[in-house]
Amino acid sequence: MQEASIKEQVSAEEWAVRVDLAAAYNLAVEMRMTDHIYTHISARVPGAEPHFLINAYGLMFNEITASNLVKVNIDGAILLDQTGLGINPAGFVIHSAIHRARHDAACVMHTHTAAGIAVSAQQTGLLMISQHAMRFHNRIGYHDYEGVALDMDEQQRLVADLGPHDAMILRNHGLLVCGASVPDAFDAMFYLERACQAQVAALAGGLPLTTPSADVAEKVGRQFDRLDRPSRHKHWPPLLRLLQRIRPEYQE
């Protein structure tokens, strides 16, 4: 008897999340936000059980498909893994901490980009010098570096430093965002990454910087907080159309 496909083994709701999550991995390749087999994007599996999906440890982001994502429970037990590769322990420590504490965080995305690491090493943190950055005005946490995230007791500090925010800079490490959906998290990471790129470029210029007032920065933050802003729903479909043209196998 032929073994059932992953799509046949999971609910329609889980499959839809798998497709979106695989899209996020492949889009991260296009946006140059990968670190080979390291860093992770995870998504909560719809339903009452605290399960989430994450990349298999050993696949590049452009190898991720809806079927080869690994399903684990909140304690790290592998529930479904087509690849047999398992998951990165450091990825589990970070992502399970957020999923356990933040039930509103349907998706968590963590990156190690050059710009993100550069800003994470700057004492000032994220400067409010661009519209992209002002989206995060008073809406971003900071977590001090403690080494490779393998110690479970770091989880409580990660969660405390994230607090109510949907974005965090991991000092000397990289960036982390979460969102109510995969598209929301990807959108937030795109803006945070671009804000870091702009900051590194502006500081490299060596000239004095113009910084809008805190009132203006807060106004921008509130504008992006609006759940009904058109850009929230218009950003994802064209990105999926891009993938459909260049890497349609992500949804298999």
Side-chain angles (χ1 to χ4, degrees), residues 184-202:
D184 279 350
F186 192 87
D187 183 70
M189 181 58 82
F190 174 81
Y191 274 90
L192 184 56
E193 169 64 19
R194 292 300 293 271
C196 290
Q197 291 174 358
Q199 179 167 322
V200 171

Side-chain angles (χ1 to χ4, degrees), residues 3-241:
E3 184 178 354
S5 68
I6 298 297
K7 186 175 184 179
E8 293 172 316
Q9 296 179 53
V10 304
S11 68
E13 293 78 12
E14 177 178 332
W15 184 254
V17 172
R18 282 175 170 269
V19 171
D20 270 350
L21 184 55
Y25 275 103
N26 283 271
L27 286 166
V29 176
E30 295 304 305
M31 308 297 174
R32 300 175 65 87
M33 293 193 292
T34 76
D35 190 10
H36 295 272
I37 64 172
Y38 306 103
T39 74
H40 319 274
I41 316 171
S42 63
R44 186 184 301 277
V45 175
E49 298 296 327
H51 301 162
F52 64 93
L53 304 165
I54 196 166
N55 49 322
Y57 192 18
L59 295 184
M60 300 280 280
F61 278 22
N62 60 359
E63 296 179 288
I64 302 296
T65 67
S67 293
N68 65 33
L69 288 160
V70 180
K71 179 160 64 174
V72 300
N73 69 17
I74 204 69
D75 296 315
I78 304 294
L79 303 175
L80 189 58
D81 180 8
Q82 182 189 66
T83 68
L85 293 171
I87 62 174
N88 184 325
F92 171 76
V93 169
I94 294 171
H95 289 254
S96 64
I98 308 304
H99 284 297
R100 187 189 297 273
R102 290 281 302 272
H103 298 289
D104 60 317
C107 179
V108 180
M109 184 170 183
H110 170 45
T111 61
H112 296 164
T113 62
I117 294 170
V119 171
S120 80
Q122 294 171 350
Q123 291 184 3
T124 59
L126 188 65
L127 297 174
M128 297 297 112
I129 58 173
S130 67
Q131 177 173 283
H132 286 42
M134 286 182 272
R135 170 176 179 160
F136 302 98
H137 181 255
N138 290 331
R139 292 162 176 80
I140 191 165
Y142 292 86
H143 176 68
D144 287 339
Y145 188 65
E146 299 185 23
V148 178
L150 297 174
D151 299 327
M152 294 299 288
D153 66 353
E154 186 178 354
Q155 289 189 319
Q156 59 185 339
R157 292 182 291 279
L158 280 163
V159 169
D161 290 336
L162 177 62
H165 305 307
D166 288 337
M168 183 161 64
I169 290 178
L170 306 176
R171 295 287 193 182
N172 311 101
H173 185 173
L175 308 177
L176 182 144
V177 302
C178 54
S181 66
V182 174
D184 279 350
F186 192 87
D187 183 70
M189 181 58 82
F190 174 81
Y191 274 90
L192 184 56
E193 169 64 19
R194 292 300 293 271
C196 290
Q197 291 174 358
Q199 179 167 322
V200 171
L203 292 175
L207 297 175
L209 303 180
T210 298
T211 303
S213 69
D215 287 344
V216 169
E218 180 59 25
K219 175 183 177 181
V220 175
R222 289 196 305 269
Q223 289 172 325
F224 279 97
D225 283 344
R226 288 177 47 208
L227 297 180
D228 63 343
R229 60 181 172 84
S231 62
R232 183 184 179 206
H233 303 290
K234 290 181 179 291
H235 188 209
W236 191 244
L239 293 176
L240 295 185
R241 292 196 296 271

